[in-house]
Amino acid sequence: MPKVKPPLPWECSTKSAYVPLSFEGEVVGFCRPDCATEIAKSLNEAEVLQKALQLACYELVARSGGSSESVGELVKRYLAKAERPLQGSALIAVLLKERQIDLDLTDDEFAKFCDSYRLSRAELREIYSGEEIESHQLIPLSRILGKTVDDIIEAWKGDD
């Protein structure tokens, strides 16, 4: 039986090629060609979306007669609203929506699914509207989301 050579700490692979990723003419890193294309595309789209948000906020402030200083504050407010919540009922609502997508269920089907785990349609609506979660809802939520009760409590209360 042939002996297996242990892997060496340093290796060189002449078969893998990396391309430079640059920003405004400066090389910022190297990665595989397919990844570089996707990264550059995503970053360029993000820049365009940021400019579009600035313009939209500028138009809103101009129509309402506000000052140009309030454009930056409005942009910050919209970005804060668009970010994924880190804790509380808002995060639980996002997790429920993601679970619905994972299960490929319509709103009505998902409401029935939740009801089968003892989370009523009314309670589901309350969670989506941002009302506080009650402790008796933790067990049904853990079953619906496929997580432990401790995970749900951590998401609900945050990292205190």
Side-chain angles (χ1 to χ4, degrees):
M1 188 160 120
K3 289 187 177 183
V4 178
K5 290 167 68 177
L8 298 172
W10 291 86
E11 292 185 30
C12 176
S13 175
T14 57
K15 294 179 180 169
S16 59
Y18 292 95
V19 296
L21 184 63
S22 58
F23 176 70
E24 295 180 351
E26 295 289 322
V27 175
V28 294
F30 295 89
C31 54
R32 293 190 332 246
D34 58 329
C35 292
T37 303
E38 286 300 315
I39 291 170
K41 181 181 174 189
S42 295
L43 291 173
N44 286 328
E45 286 175 358
E47 190 173 325
V48 169
L49 291 174
Q50 180 71 26
K51 287 178 184 177
L53 177 62
Q54 287 277 8
L55 289 171
C57 289
Y58 179 79
E59 285 182 14
L60 280 172
V61 168
R63 287 183 186 172
S64 67
S67 67
S68 61
E69 291 88 36
S70 57
V71 172
E73 287 301 315
L74 190 57
V75 167
K76 285 180 187 175
R77 246 190 328 175
Y78 279 122
L79 288 173
K81 284 182 180 180
E83 284 182 355
R84 181 183 175 96
L86 300 175
Q87 67 183 33
S89 296
L91 177 58
I92 300 297
V94 168
L95 293 173
L96 285 166
K97 281 294 186 187
E98 289 173 351
R99 181 69 170 151
Q100 179 181 350
I101 291 167
D102 289 344
L103 295 172
D104 194 25
L105 298 174
T106 65
D107 290 343
D108 191 49
E109 291 169 336
F110 188 68
K112 288 178 186 174
F113 173 75
C114 291
D115 194 39
S116 72
Y117 286 104
R118 307 286 189 252
L119 186 71
S120 70
R121 288 176 187 264
E123 291 173 315
L124 190 58
R125 264 194 304 274
E126 289 170 358
I127 292 171
Y128 286 147
S129 68
E131 292 186 28
E132 198 58 40
I133 292 172
E134 298 176 23
S135 59
H136 72 275
Q137 296 171 328
L138 294 173
I139 292 173
L141 285 168
S142 73
R143 291 179 181 153
I144 292 165
L145 296 172
K147 298 183 181 291
T148 66
V149 174
D150 290 338
D151 290 341
I152 301 299
I153 291 172
E154 187 178 320
W156 178 37
K157 295 294 184 185
D159 296 339
D160 293 333

